[in-house]
Amino acid sequence: MTQELKKIESSIWENVIEFFNYNIYTFTDNANNITSVIKVKNLLGVIAILILTTYLLRWIRKLVTRSMPNDDKAKFTTVFSFARWIVYIIVLLIVLSSLGINVTAVFAASAALLIGVGLALQTLFQDIISGIFILVDQTVHVGDIIEIEGKVGRVEEIKLRTTRATTVDNKVLIIPNHLYLENSLYNWTQNGTSTRESVSVGVAYGSDVRLVEKLLIEAANSHAQVIDKKATVVRFLDFGDSSLNFKVVFTLNDSFNARIPESDIRFEIDRLFRENNISIPFPQRDIHIIQKPN
């Protein structure tokens, strides 16, 4: 009975050893005549080290962010999540090399695949790098109102690859982060929430320009959302083809919804102009007909 148990134990150990030594995959570098073999025991060793690396990175993240403010902690965590994958790749290469696997042969065998993947992920890498720049430089924050490629939105979330913003029409705007490197970005609220807005209008030639100035200031300052009434000014822009062109400039505390008070001010301008006989002209052309004698 004892001999049979020993035979069974020996058979089990042989099977276990055979399992650990089982070849999963073989890389062959024909140019250098090098063959690298990945066995089960190699794979299990790599998994164990990656798990250990994961716990170590978590401990480092908690240690570094322990005394950070909540805003900085969230930004650091986002950047750290990207850096973690770089650490995983480096650890993986080191482990494979220490286990006797020729990493050069692995890359040589996968060179075409890596080039194809690199080209396909080029834009993704640009987005991620841009996202890191945004988080580190703090050029854009959640809640900022930004304009890029003629689109305006309030930033709701900044991720490594994309920035999510909401337009004034409550539509979600997904902005790939690489666009920040390729286009001019306007941050409406970086210097504060108040912005200078304007409404332009033309009046007929012969109008009392000082009265026009007075009425435009009155129309703008009558709106409840216009702040700093003393800062409201009127600019005489130009002598147009059919009109004298003016612009009234005022201050709003909510530039994101500026088109609503701008519309209200236009209604008020039209009402005041009608009451004071100030006309808003339309384009006119004088046609002179010269009749040639027979």
Side-chain angles (χ1 to χ4, degrees):
M1 188 70 179
T2 304
Q3 292 294 331
E4 292 180 357
L5 287 174
K6 288 182 178 180
K7 288 181 180 180
I8 294 173
E9 289 178 0
S10 177
S11 177
I12 292 174
W13 278 112
E14 288 178 358
N15 290 331
V16 170
I17 294 172
E18 183 180 355
F19 171 75
F20 281 116
N21 290 322
Y22 179 76
N23 294 343
I24 299 177
Y25 198 79
T26 301
F27 294 98
T28 302
D29 183 4
N30 295 324
N32 299 315
N33 197 22
I34 297 174
T35 301
S36 300
V37 178
I38 295 180
K39 298 181 179 181
V40 172
K41 62 181 180 181
N42 301 137
L43 181 61
L44 294 177
V46 170
I47 293 174
I49 292 175
L50 289 178
I51 292 174
L52 180 63
T53 302
T54 299
Y55 282 103
L56 181 62
L57 289 173
R58 287 180 182 176
W59 177 78
I60 293 174
R61 186 191 65 188
K62 290 180 180 179
L63 181 65
V64 174
T65 59
R66 182 172 53 187
S67 58
M68 282 186 178
N70 290 333
D71 291 342
D72 293 340
K73 186 182 297 185
K75 293 173 184 176
F76 178 84
T77 301
T78 304
V79 176
F80 187 82
S81 65
F82 172 71
R84 181 181 59 186
W85 293 107
I86 299 177
V87 173
Y88 281 145
I89 294 173
I90 294 173
V91 170
L92 180 62
L93 294 176
I94 293 174
V95 170
L96 290 176
S97 180
S98 64
L99 291 176
I101 298 173
N102 192 329
V103 179
T104 305
V106 174
F107 278 112
S110 307
L113 176 62
L114 291 174
I115 292 173
V117 172
L119 292 175
L121 298 179
Q122 183 178 5
T123 303
L124 175 63
F125 291 148
Q126 289 179 351
D127 289 336
I128 293 174
I129 293 172
S130 302
I132 293 175
F133 286 157
I134 293 170
L135 294 170
V136 173
D137 293 343
Q138 298 187 16
T139 53
V140 178
H141 300 83
V142 172
D144 284 353
I145 299 172
I146 62 172
E147 178 182 352
I148 187 169
E149 289 190 327
K151 300 179 179 64
V152 179
R154 178 181 280 120
V155 177
E156 302 291 342
E157 186 178 19
I158 302 174
K159 295 184 178 180
L160 276 180
R161 195 182 70 82
T162 59
T163 298
R164 186 170 64 88
T166 304
T167 67
V168 69
D169 299 316
N170 201 31
K171 298 176 181 178
V172 177
L173 182 63
I174 306 298
I175 306 171
N177 288 335
H178 75 271
L179 292 180
Y180 294 120
L181 299 179
E182 301 174 357
N183 299 274
S184 297
L185 170 69
Y186 297 93
N187 191 328
W188 289 12
T189 52
Q190 188 170 28
N191 292 330
T193 57
S194 61
T195 57
R196 299 284 282 171
E197 307 296 335
S198 64
V199 170
S200 298
V201 64
V203 300
Y205 275 90
S207 301
D208 186 343
V209 293
R210 289 303 177 186
L211 176 60
V212 171
E213 178 185 25
K214 175 177 175 294
L215 295 177
L216 289 176
I217 292 176
E218 181 182 344
N221 288 342
S222 66
H223 200 282
Q225 294 187 29
V226 173
I227 61 176
D228 194 8
K229 312 287 186 181
K230 294 181 180 180
T232 302
V233 296
V234 173
R235 296 175 183 168
F236 193 154
L237 297 180
D238 202 359
F239 295 93
D241 293 337
S242 303
S243 64
L244 304 173
N245 299 324
F246 292 84
K247 176 190 287 186
V248 57
V249 184
F250 46 89
T251 306
L252 292 179
N253 198 33
D254 184 11
S255 57
F256 190 58
N257 295 306
R259 63 181 185 176
I260 297 175
E262 286 175 358
S263 174
D264 294 338
I265 290 172
R266 290 188 181 96
F267 276 115
E268 184 64 13
I269 289 173
D270 181 71
R271 186 185 70 81
L272 290 174
F273 278 11
R274 289 177 184 275
E275 288 182 357
N276 290 272
N277 296 319
I278 302 292
S279 61
I280 300 175
F282 52 86
Q284 301 179 31
R285 295 290 183 271
D286 291 334
I287 300 176
H288 299 273
I289 300 175
I290 301 176
Q291 187 175 5
K292 294 182 179 181
N294 294 331

